[in-house]
Amino acid sequence: MTSKSPRFVSRRRAIAAAMFGFGTLTISAEGLNPFQLDVGGGRIDVGFVSGGFDAGSDAIRRWITDAAQSVAGYFGRFPVSRAVIEVNLEAGRSGVFGGVTHGGIPAHTRITIGEHTSATDLPNDWTMTHELTHMGFPNVPRQHHWIEEGIATYVEPVARAQAGLLPVKEVWKEMLQGMPKGSPGPGGSGLDQTHSWASTYWGGALFCLLADVQFRERTANQRGLQHALRGILKAGGNIEVEWPLARALRIGDDSVGVPVLMELYDRMKDTPVSIDLPSLWKRLGVSATGQGVAFAPDADLSAIRAAITAKPN
């Protein structure tokens, strides 16, 4: 799995319909025709801009379909009824160079892929799933950008694992490597005041991990962050709308039945909070090895660790 070192993915507020000026994306590139996907109750129009793609459009279709199905599986449905994905093809390069997702109706993702990217490289890339995850949470004021990127960073590998597209050990390997970056350093402040890359992406992801574990501890492992985010979406909280952060968090808490999100937010929004990650990993039964990670089945929270990546009912 591609490491989430400084990402060039971010979320912007915009009205996608105004950008396009028409109802269906019809742009195409050399040898690549636009197509439409129906996933989880949502319709996704995919179009191409400039150049060609060595592996052909079928590889891109499979990649987008897998990402959309993973996101729909995590949220219980695809977060919006209509979305547009614009694929930019960059000549002479290989790999995925990031994306951006806008709100509005329809929601719109723009993503850039090198023309020489292989069909075997795309399934291992996280970027499309990350971007589509953004569609499952409302726009919030800019100071809370960490929750938008934190959710996408945390949910993306979990959703892919639940869909059978990513080994569970890879999820926890990435968390072991990434979560320490979210801890506030010397002179740091709360999540609403610290806007560095590490705090925005991994500080937000650490908030999500703590919420997931605490939800499950306080509900006898019956409900977690996934249930809270599904509740927010069910109440209309997707990328098409703008909400105060507190509204989303309270709805998420109410969906689970315990006020974990608001309690964590009150604790972490203005004050740097140092998390004892080694202790948390030990309780979850996760440890690094030379080959990746190992699980301890008799750890205090091993059942919670397993439930986080288990396919939901």
Side-chain angles (χ1 to χ4, degrees):
M1 184 179 184
T2 304
S3 173
K4 294 180 180 65
S5 56
R7 294 174 179 259
F8 297 95
V9 286
S10 61
R11 190 172 178 195
R12 310 270 196 263
R13 296 174 185 79
I15 304 300
M19 295 172 59
F20 287 100
F22 44 76
T24 302
L25 190 64
T26 57
I27 51 180
S28 61
E30 180 182 338
L32 300 170
N33 295 316
F35 58 86
Q36 185 178 104
L37 300 173
D38 293 306
V39 177
R43 190 185 82 190
I44 304 171
D45 291 307
V46 181
F48 300 90
V49 180
S50 74
F53 186 65
D54 293 352
S57 60
D58 284 349
I60 294 177
R61 178 191 287 269
R62 286 193 298 272
W63 180 50
I64 294 175
T65 299
D66 285 345
Q69 289 177 338
S70 297
V71 170
Y74 188 90
F75 285 99
R77 64 176 176 85
F78 195 70
V80 296
S81 60
R82 168 87 195 287
V84 171
I85 297 175
E86 175 190 326
V87 180
N88 294 288
L89 301 166
E90 189 159 327
R93 299 184 68 182
S94 61
V96 181
F97 304 109
V100 58
T101 297
H102 303 270
I105 302 176
H108 166 233
T109 291
R110 182 182 292 115
I111 200 154
T112 300
I113 307 175
E115 68 168 330
H116 300 316
T117 306
S118 73
T120 56
D121 287 339
L122 281 179
N124 296 319
D125 188 87
W126 48 264
T127 317
M128 181 58 69
T129 308
H130 177 104
E131 290 303 321
L132 296 184
T133 299
H134 277 311
M135 296 187 183
F137 195 78
N139 288 290
V140 294
R142 185 67 183 176
Q143 73 188 95
H144 311 308
H145 189 51
W146 58 268
I147 190 69
E148 299 174 345
E149 294 297 351
I151 287 172
T153 300
Y154 179 78
V155 167
E156 167 261 309
V158 173
R160 292 172 64 205
Q162 289 182 350
L165 300 173
L166 185 69
V168 170
K169 286 191 174 182
E170 286 297 309
V171 177
W172 293 100
K173 177 182 176 182
E174 180 170 316
M175 288 194 191
L176 284 172
Q177 294 172 342
M179 291 299 175
K181 301 171 188 174
S183 297
S189 55
L191 288 170
D192 280 350
Q193 282 74 43
T194 307
H195 305 301
S196 65
W197 165 81
S199 180
T200 299
Y201 286 85
W202 285 108
L206 181 56
F207 176 94
C208 291
L209 172 62
L210 295 174
D212 213 348
V213 171
Q214 290 184 26
F215 272 136
R216 293 187 175 279
E217 283 189 287
R218 294 167 66 173
T219 63
N221 204 16
Q222 296 302 301
R223 300 175 78 78
L225 179 67
Q226 184 168 19
H227 300 86
L229 294 177
R230 285 185 174 195
I232 294 167
L233 180 61
K234 185 177 180 180
N238 64 16
I239 198 173
E240 297 173 344
V241 301
E242 294 190 9
W243 281 10
L245 177 58
R247 177 183 178 184
L249 299 184
R250 288 193 180 101
I251 290 174
D253 282 341
D254 290 345
S255 300
V256 178
V258 287
V260 166
L261 294 173
M262 282 304 301
E263 288 177 2
L264 272 177
Y265 177 59
D266 288 341
R267 180 185 172 200
M268 300 177 74
K269 64 180 179 180
D270 297 318
T271 304
V273 176
S274 180
I275 305 300
D276 185 354
L277 282 172
S279 176
L280 179 59
W281 302 137
K282 184 176 181 179
R283 295 185 69 210
L284 288 166
V286 183
S287 60
T289 69
Q291 289 70 43
V293 299
F295 294 148
D298 57 347
D300 181 28
L301 301 181
S302 62
I304 284 178
R305 183 206 69 234
I308 287 172
T309 53
K311 187 173 183 178
N313 294 327

